[in-house]
Amino acid sequence: MNIKFYTISLFAAALLMGCTNLDEEVYSEIPVDHFFKTEKQLVANAARAYTKLQNYCTEQSLWTLNLQVSDECTVPVNANGSWAEQRYRELQYHQFTASNKLIKKGWDFCFDGIASCNEVIYETQLSKINFD
């Protein structure tokens, strides 16, 4: 009898205390006309292009490519004279192949940044906000 009373009491408490208003604002689908209504929002969008610079000093980036190709540093070879990874030898000796991952990552870094800047310019030109 006590178990039945506690079960019913628990169910009633959960029913009475539960949420009934389940309306929510969906953030994954925001219409484009809600963006860039103020100068501050438009300027904040311009900062988005700088996020591409976050990967500048990572191992497989333009930084590595610049250092290796300009002889500022080199990846040492193993004790037996072989290279740990052939892609670093290609950079050191300026014998690049299309399959070198470091070349591709450096290229992607540059042109991802250019694409991001072009997006910001395009969106700024579409904006109807006029300011200095």
Side-chain angles (χ1 to χ4, degrees):
M1 184 72 172
N2 283 339
I3 294 175
K4 190 175 189 181
F5 173 74
Y6 288 127
T7 305
I8 291 172
S9 298
L10 184 64
F11 180 71
L15 186 64
L16 292 174
M17 298 176 96
C19 295
T20 56
N21 182 6
L22 299 177
D23 295 334
E24 64 180 344
E25 187 173 344
V26 179
Y27 292 102
S28 62
E29 298 175 7
I30 300 175
V32 175
D33 57 342
H34 285 71
F35 292 109
F36 314 133
K37 291 189 175 188
T38 66
E39 176 183 344
K40 186 177 180 181
Q41 291 174 344
L42 197 62
V43 170
N45 181 53
R48 189 170 52 100
Y50 291 98
T51 61
K52 297 295 181 180
L53 292 173
Q54 290 175 339
N55 295 328
Y56 181 75
C57 290
T58 58
E59 191 266 330
Q60 295 176 1
S61 69
L62 186 63
W63 178 71
T64 301
L65 190 61
N66 284 338
L67 290 177
Q68 293 286 329
V69 174
S70 64
D71 292 334
E72 288 184 46
C73 77
T74 185
V75 175
V77 297
N78 292 329
N80 64 359
S82 67
W83 289 77
E85 293 187 39
Q86 196 62 28
R87 61 185 174 181
Y88 292 107
R89 181 189 178 284
E90 291 176 8
L91 292 180
Q92 194 65 38
Y93 289 113
H94 297 230
Q95 298 170 341
F96 312 119
T97 61
S99 63
N100 191 317
K101 189 175 183 178
L102 297 171
I103 300 289
K104 182 185 181 325
K105 292 290 188 175
W107 177 271
D108 289 346
F109 177 84
C110 290
F111 285 94
D112 285 348
I114 291 169
S116 182
C117 291
N118 287 338
E119 286 175 12
V120 169
I121 291 169
Y122 175 74
E123 291 163 351
T124 303
Q125 289 173 343
L126 289 180
S127 174
K128 296 179 174 125
I129 299 171
N130 292 320
F131 59 91
D132 293 338

